[in-house]
Amino acid sequence: MSGSEFDRIARYFAPLANEAALRLTDDAAVWSPPPGRQLVLTVDQMIEGIHFLPDDPPDCVARKLLRRNLSDLAAMGAAPIGYLLTTALRAATPEAWLADFADGLAQDQRTYNITLFGGDSTSTTGPIMTSVTMIGHVAPGTALLRTGARPGDAIFVTGTIGDAVLGLEAARGNIADPGSFFSTRRLLPEPRVGLPLAGLVHAAIDVSDGLIQDLAHLCTNAGLGAVIEAALVPQSSAARSAGDAWLETRLTGGDDYELILAAPATAEPALRAACGTVPLTRIGTMTAAHSNIIINDASGTPLHFARQGWQHF
Amino acid sequence: MSGSEFDRIARYFAPLANEAALRLTDDAAVWSPPPGRQLVLTVDQMIEGIHFLPDDPPDCVARKLLRRNLSDLAAMGAAPIGYLLTTALRAATPEAWLADFADGLAQDQRTYNITLFGGDSTSTTGPIMTSVTMIGHVAPGTALLRTGARPGDAIFVTGTIGDAVLGLEAARGNIADPGSFFSTRRLLPEPRVGLPLAGLVHAAIDVSDGLIQDLAHLCTNAGLGAVIEAALVPQSSAARSAGDAWLETRLTGGDDYELILAAPATAEPALRAACGTVPLTRIGTMTAAHSNIIINDASGTPLHFARQGWQHF
């Protein structure tokens, strides 16, 4: 670590850290976990040119980095506590980039009531690279898993599906984006943290790689299949305006960070109550047909897509 | 995440994971921390061309990645439990590189009795990038900190200092390395985990950035200075053979992953007992002269070095 790295840590990251992080001046953080709780641990990285565009605002890169990880915790039904961070910047990366990045972290630390436990900052000659290890907690035995879906379970999704990938298409100039709605959805997903889903759903996963691919994980992990009605997959009014030509893109694009939930159809009222103001839509049913996902169009005819999921940029 | 990434995870990483990691098929790990213990959390990254050389054996890269993080826990007096991993490889990175890397992880998981909690694997167009977030534990209130040194404390180091940086000089062809001793010390440091130092030392840090720079952290954090006798700084017989021309390199080079300990001189016998077979050498004394580190040569004359610490390759 070079002297300027110590300065950068003191200036930008130390203000984000809590007592456990020992002002980031020690070798590691020392933290008393909440007694009687299980911890939920996840890590995700974001690399320039792969997970974000070079021109994306740095504060949004930071917030999306946190939110991707928060979404993984949300998919487990866990409450977030704090995170560890790595950054690898080029020597030519402007100081303002780091300042804006740190501002984004600070902003979402407040939004989600989380803190910085520690980090590692270094230089790279390649694309900018950042990662977050996020730590949350659940009551013992209540974590939502990908494995528990049962045949006949109703399949629900939160929010709307496909806006983020249309944001990517907008950044590429392939689709209009009045009011920057799609762009905002790509840059600032809203992870569904804090929903009291324990005991209501059999299985859960977040949509990071695309609706169909992530649904496929729920199916594979339970030895099941699924039937989805494409017309039921919730879309924003902006996506509806974009038209049916984008259907495959929306259902296979990633970065939505909505939740897919498998639950008994009878649980729907309780599930709606648990979701509160978060929109919840039933889109299909789990079946006993192992790993067979059928997407029906409005006439009941199965659709065939060239790809299932998300390959990043 | 692409399909081949799922295959790679299943093939190389899932066998490294324990039950808490849910076979790496879920969004996050679910783990019950040891009751009544504080957790110790740290993260470190290794980037090709910065922290390792492109030709370094991948199993050694993996093991050094773990060991750098284990050393941070050792410096806190913490016992390691497990880790989360990120990897970013190029499309052209051979599968054999990943296989060897995973072998290295498996080998050191056995050596240090740790497990894989989770990870994220992606592609990059730049240098290979890996990081580890390591989790350990201590009895409440017993973590060793960088802050507690007092004037008059004796300064000790474990092992020998400067072999790793001579390994780097050997890789550059600047110094002979019979028997690859220096090279091995660079590629496979031995973190001093498991020493029962709690209650014996006032402050501790591991030597990652170079003896003088890391000692400077102990001084700065305590508002103190230090006097070091260069002739007392322990060196391997290979380093001794290399001669005094390498003194500055040895004292300012990084990657030793030995411990610097500040403790009352009267604690020396107990400290030696705690260190068991790990060599322990007294090299100097903490002083009240804020941030003033004096390195004396054998005649008592202060040495002046062009640089304090490690800037990586």
Side-chain angles (χ1 to χ4, degrees):
Chain A
M1 194 185 286
S2 67
S4 65
E5 280 167 31
F6 293 120
D7 295 342
R8 285 179 156 197
I9 291 167
R11 183 159 183 182
Y12 297 112
F13 296 128
L16 303 176
N18 76 347
E19 275 181 25
L22 303 165
R23 300 187 311 283
L24 303 185
T25 61
D26 224 297
D27 291 287
V30 181
W31 174 62
S32 299
R37 306 285 286 184
Q38 285 186 306
L39 296 185
V40 180
L41 312 165
T42 190
V43 63
D44 253 328
Q45 50 195 331
M46 282 179 63
I47 299 181
E48 182 185 23
I50 309 278
H51 306 91
F52 66 96
L53 300 172
D55 289 339
D56 284 349
D59 59 324
C60 291
V61 174
R63 296 170 75 187
K64 185 167 179 176
L65 176 63
L66 292 176
R67 289 170 182 220
R68 283 163 52 104
N69 281 278
L70 289 164
S71 182
D72 282 327
L73 292 196
M76 309 291 285
I81 301 175
Y83 67 101
L84 296 96
L85 172 77
T86 72
T87 60
L89 309 183
R90 285 183 296 277
T93 304
E95 182 108 352
W97 196 96
L98 181 59
D100 287 352
F101 183 85
D103 275 351
L105 295 176
Q107 198 169 335
D108 269 3
Q109 285 191 200
R110 288 190 296 272
T111 302
Y112 296 101
N113 193 25
I114 55 178
T115 185
L116 177 65
F117 280 129
D120 184 42
S121 113
T122 188
S123 58
T124 179
T125 54
I128 291 177
M129 200 292 310
T130 67
S131 79
V132 153
T133 300
M134 186 73 72
I135 302 174
H137 62 104
V138 289
T142 67
L144 313 177
L145 302 182
R146 291 183 178 182
T147 46
R150 300 177 199 168
D153 273 356
I155 301 168
F156 301 90
V157 294
T158 59
T160 58
I161 297 295
D163 298 319
V165 69
L166 295 184
L168 181 58
E169 295 294 344
R172 288 171 170 159
N174 294 334
I175 188 172
D177 189 15
S180 299
F181 174 82
F182 294 140
S183 170
T184 302
R185 290 280 286 160
R186 175 177 75 84
L187 291 169
L188 282 179
E190 294 195 19
R192 302 305 187 179
V193 290
L195 302 182
L197 302 174
L200 293 176
V201 306
H202 288 152
I205 191 172
D206 71 324
V207 183
S208 53
D209 295 331
L211 177 70
I212 297 177
Q213 183 162 309
D214 288 309
L215 177 61
H217 292 308
L218 281 197
C219 291
T220 305
N221 283 328
L224 299 178
V227 175
I228 299 296
E229 307 301 328
L232 296 182
V233 176
Q235 53 185 328
S236 62
S237 55
R240 188 171 293 111
S241 301
D244 282 348
W246 295 100
L247 178 68
E248 177 171 351
T249 301
R250 289 198 303 110
L251 301 195
T252 59
D255 267 7
D256 290 316
Y257 304 104
E258 298 294 348
L259 297 181
I260 306 175
L261 307 171
T266 53
E268 185 167 341
L271 207 49
R272 290 199 178 281
C275 286
T277 58
V278 174
L280 186 76
T281 306
R282 180 171 176 179
I283 62 169
T285 305
M286 299 296 295
T287 70
H290 194 324
S291 295
N292 186 18
I293 297 180
I294 297 168
I295 321 283
N296 285 325
D297 71 10
S299 70
T301 307
L303 295 164
H304 293 283
F305 294 150
R307 58 169 210 169
Q308 280 210 332
W310 181 235
Q311 314 288 329
H312 294 294
F313 305 154
Chain B
M1 192 184 288
S2 67
S4 65
E5 280 167 31
F6 293 120
D7 295 341
R8 286 179 157 196
I9 290 168
R11 183 160 184 183
Y12 297 112
F13 295 127
L16 303 176
N18 75 347
E19 275 180 26
L22 303 165
R23 301 185 310 281
L24 303 186
T25 62
D26 224 297
D27 292 286
V30 181
W31 174 62
S32 300
R37 305 285 286 184
Q38 285 186 306
L39 296 185
V40 180
L41 312 165
T42 190
V43 62
D44 254 327
Q45 50 195 332
M46 282 179 64
I47 299 181
E48 182 185 23
I50 309 278
H51 306 91
F52 66 95
L53 300 173
D55 290 339
D56 284 350
D59 59 323
C60 291
V61 174
R63 296 169 75 187
K64 186 167 179 177
L65 176 63
L66 292 176
R67 290 171 182 219
R68 283 163 53 103
N69 281 279
L70 289 164
S71 182
D72 282 328
L73 292 196
M76 309 291 286
I81 301 176
Y83 66 101
L84 296 95
L85 173 76
T86 71
T87 60
L89 309 183
R90 285 183 296 276
T93 304
E95 182 107 352
W97 196 97
L98 182 59
D100 287 352
F101 182 84
D103 275 351
L105 295 176
Q107 199 169 334
D108 270 2
Q109 284 191 202
R110 289 189 295 271
T111 302
Y112 295 101
N113 193 25
I114 55 178
T115 186
L116 178 64
F117 281 128
D120 184 42
S121 115
T122 188
S123 59
T124 180
T125 54
I128 292 176
M129 199 294 308
T130 67
S131 78
V132 154
T133 300
M134 186 73 71
I135 301 174
H137 62 105
V138 289
T142 68
L144 312 177
L145 303 181
R146 291 183 178 182
T147 47
R150 300 176 200 168
D153 274 355
I155 301 168
F156 301 91
V157 293
T158 60
T160 58
I161 297 296
D163 298 321
V165 69
L166 295 185
L168 180 58
E169 295 293 344
R172 288 172 171 157
N174 293 335
I175 187 173
D177 189 15
S180 298
F181 175 81
F182 294 140
S183 170
T184 302
R185 290 278 286 159
R186 174 176 75 84
L187 291 170
L188 283 179
E190 294 195 20
R192 302 305 187 178
V193 289
L195 302 182
L197 302 174
L200 293 176
V201 307
H202 288 153
I205 191 172
D206 71 324
V207 183
S208 54
D209 295 331
L211 178 69
I212 297 177
Q213 184 161 309
D214 288 310
L215 177 61
H217 292 309
L218 281 197
C219 291
T220 305
N221 284 327
L224 298 179
V227 176
I228 298 296
E229 308 301 328
L232 296 182
V233 175
Q235 54 185 326
S236 63
S237 55
R240 188 171 294 111
S241 301
D244 283 348
W246 295 100
L247 178 67
E248 176 171 349
T249 300
R250 290 198 303 111
L251 300 195
T252 58
D255 267 6
D256 289 315
Y257 304 105
E258 299 292 349
L259 297 180
I260 307 175
L261 306 171
T266 53
E268 184 166 340
L271 207 49
R272 291 200 177 282
C275 286
T277 59
V278 174
L280 186 76
T281 307
R282 179 170 176 178
I283 61 170
T285 304
M286 300 295 296
T287 69
H290 194 324
S291 294
N292 187 17
I293 297 180
I294 297 168
I295 321 284
N296 284 326
D297 70 9
S299 71
T301 307
L303 295 164
H304 293 283
F305 294 151
R307 60 169 210 168
Q308 280 209 335
W310 182 234
Q311 314 287 330
H312 295 294
F313 305 154

